[in-house]
Amino acid sequence: MIERDATPPIQRLRRLRRLSGLRDLVREHEPNVRDLVYPIFVHHGTNLKREIASMPGQFQYSLDRLDEPISATVEAGIPAVLLFGIPEHKDSEGRSACDDEAIVQSAVRKIKNQTNELIVITDVCFCEYTNHGHCGALRSIGGSIEVDNDATLKLLAEQAASHARAGADVVAPSGMMDGMVAAIRRGLDEAKFHYIPILSYAAKFASAFYGPFRDAAGSAPAFGDRRGYQMDPAGGDEAMREVEIDVSEGADMIMVKPALAYLDVVRRVKDRFRVPVAVYNVSGEYAMIKAAAKNGWIDEDRIVLETLTCFKRAGADIIITYHALDAARLFR
Ligand code: PBG
């Protein structure tokens, strides 16, 4: 009788890793330029293209210089931009955000005159428009100054309708007010914009990764922080509740933000809700890669590609990233 070896044969997964053609054939996830959204900062004034110190390669543009990043985005084959406005005047309620002649509305009209090949998404929030830098109107509640949720809802609906009138294709409320999606949906429908989708910043965490953005948008809170409305980074179940509520209020797409440290949330959302999911690869994530690359400590191109691939693996359909223009080049 022949002795049989009891050790099981080696399971050889390396067989499919030997040749780059085989790796290409079996690759499960691949980011595509058609998944990307490029965020752009529109600043008041003229003839302005100012680099953001903590976000090398990203700029604030005045309206008259906006054609430059827009052309670059279209030429790269990127399908969408996300607009942020930095207005000249701020007040306690951020009123200027709702004006049809305001900075973002003017930018939307300008872009739509330049091209009809781009989806224009607008960030709907007040932190860039309030003189205190919070995401809505303030009020004293139980002795402390807080953002007045319900008063802000009305203003959010006004701002979203104004963006739609200017020609925005999608509105993206980012203020984490309770009921914001329902209020905006109602406001849009009443203004006959039933066809404009809402991309809700549904699971937005109170994150230190937004640091550079607040320099870029001039929106750092003058006092306190955003923990009274944005989510605690520890909240996973809470993120599910936020998304569930936003979907029930009529959100067409939902966002998880930031991206890298929150990919478990992306996966949970994707598995549980059958809606398109966007990740926002935020300013601090961008700044870390740029800083390390500048020091020669990492290979920027490879890290960017790896990062975007992992967003797809986690379940993201849409990737909002400051790397968009660079990444589009990498995919070619
Ligand atoms: C708020 C808003 C923020 C970002 C997008 N929308 C900042 C904040 O909540 O403080 C952050 C984006 C980034 O860090 O890239 N309107």
Side-chain angles (χ1 to χ4, degrees), residues 82-85 94-109 112 120-126 128-129 155-174 184 188 191 193 195-197:
L82 172 62
L83 297 184
F84 296 95
R95 270 272 152 205
S96 70
C98 304
D99 187 335
D100 283 350
E101 302 306 315
I103 184 101
V104 162
Q105 290 83 334
S106 305
V108 174
R109 283 191 297 269
K112 289 294 174 184
V120 178
I121 309 173
T122 55
D123 186 81
V124 177
C125 195
F126 287 98
E128 292 116 55
Y129 301 88
L155 295 168
L156 282 170
E158 271 183 48
Q159 186 186 151
S162 177
H163 289 180
R165 270 194 297 281
D169 301 299
V170 177
V171 293
S174 66
I184 289 171
L188 288 174
F193 291 116
Y195 54 89
I196 298 292

Side-chain angles (χ1 to χ4, degrees), residues 39 41 55 82 84 123-129 133 135 172-176 201 204-214 216-217 219-221 226 229-230 255 257-258 280-286 320 322:
F41 299 99
M55 299 174 72
L82 172 62
F84 296 95
D123 186 81
V124 177
C125 195
F126 287 98
C127 55
E128 292 116 55
Y129 301 88
C135 297
S174 66
M176 289 297 283
Y201 287 67
K204 177 174 177 179
F205 293 85
S207 172
F209 284 104
Y210 307 151
F213 176 92
R214 291 173 188 177
S219 63
R226 301 202 205 288
Y229 36 103
Q230 297 178 352
M255 191 195 300
K257 178 184 169 189
Y280 198 142
N281 180 208
V282 300
S283 57
E285 299 171 330
Y286 176 83
I320 304 168
Y322 303 101

Side-chain angles (χ1 to χ4, degrees), residues 8-302:
I10 295 175
Q11 304 268 323
R12 297 201 182 273
L13 291 185
R14 286 182 54 190
R15 265 182 219 126
L16 295 182
R17 295 184 194 140
R18 273 185 57 240
L19 305 171
S20 81
L22 274 175
R23 290 195 297 272
D24 285 346
L25 277 177
V26 301
R27 183 161 302 120
E28 291 178 59
H29 301 284
E30 207 152 23
N32 188 288
V33 67
R34 305 306 291 172
D35 302 324
L36 302 180
V37 177
Y38 185 48
I40 297 179
F41 299 99
V42 192
H43 197 282
H44 65 84
T46 53
N47 196 24
L48 181 90
K49 177 187 177 182
R50 185 197 294 149
E51 189 164 27
I52 301 156
S54 51
M55 299 174 72
Q58 302 306 311
F59 300 83
Q60 296 171 325
Y61 294 93
S62 55
L63 279 173
D64 57 323
R65 299 283 300 268
L66 202 53
D67 52 327
E68 181 188 315
I70 294 302
S71 299
T73 307
V74 172
E75 277 160 29
I78 295 163
V81 291
L82 172 62
L83 297 184
F84 296 95
I86 301 117
E88 188 166 9
H89 300 293
K90 303 187 183 219
D91 63 33
S92 64
E93 284 192 329
R95 270 272 152 205
S96 70
C98 304
D99 187 335
D100 283 350
E101 302 306 315
I103 184 101
V104 162
Q105 290 83 334
S106 305
V108 174
R109 283 191 297 269
K110 187 125 201 304
I111 294 168
K112 289 294 174 184
N113 273 331
Q114 185 183 336
T115 177
N116 53 18
E117 285 181 60
L118 268 187
I119 297 298
V120 178
I121 309 173
T122 55
D123 186 81
V124 177
C125 195
F126 287 98
C127 55
E128 292 116 55
Y129 301 88
T130 52
N131 50 21
H132 45 72
H134 280 286
C135 297
L138 299 179
R139 140 177 199 214
S140 169
I141 301 172
S144 69
I145 305 290
E146 293 179 20
V147 174
D148 184 338
N149 192 86
D150 299 9
T152 302
L153 292 183
K154 226 177 96 243
L155 295 168
L156 282 170
E158 271 183 48
Q159 186 186 151
S162 177
H163 289 180
R165 270 194 297 281
D169 301 299
V170 177
V171 293
S174 66
M176 289 297 283
M177 295 299 122
D178 289 328
M180 70 180 183
V181 172
I184 289 171
R185 184 72 271 158
R186 200 172 321 116
L188 288 174
D189 290 353
E190 278 167 12
K192 306 250 185 307
F193 291 116
H194 54 269
Y195 54 89
I196 298 292
I198 298 174
L199 165 58
S200 179
Y201 287 67
K204 177 174 177 179
F205 293 85
S207 172
F209 284 104
Y210 307 151
F213 176 92
R214 291 173 188 177
D215 299 336
S219 63
F223 64 90
D225 54 43
R226 301 202 205 288
R227 288 177 233 214
Y229 36 103
Q230 297 178 352
M231 286 186 349
D232 189 297
D237 288 342
E238 188 188 358
M240 297 305 108
R241 292 189 71 200
E242 282 284 359
V243 171
E244 184 171 25
I245 291 167
D246 282 13
V247 169
S248 76
E249 288 182 10
D252 301 279
M253 301 175 272
I254 70 97
M255 191 195 300
V256 176
K257 178 184 169 189
L260 285 175
Y262 297 85
L263 292 185
D264 59 316
V265 178
V266 175
R267 170 48 60 197
R268 283 178 73 179
V269 169
K270 192 61 199 172
D271 283 345
R272 176 142 160 220
F273 302 96
R274 295 286 173 247
V275 293
V277 176
V279 284
Y280 198 142
N281 180 208
V282 300
S283 57
E285 299 171 330
Y286 176 83
M288 291 195 303
I289 289 180
K290 283 290 179 180
K294 194 169 158 216
N295 276 301
W297 294 339
I298 57 167
D299 178 335
E300 177 173 345
D301 287 354
R302 284 191 55 204

Side-chain angles (χ1 to χ4, degrees), residues 33 36 72-73 76-78 308 323-332:
V33 67
L36 302 180
T73 307
I78 295 163
L308 301 182
H323 297 291
L325 291 178
D326 290 338
R329 184 178 41 78
L330 297 178
F331 298 150
R332 298 247 159 95

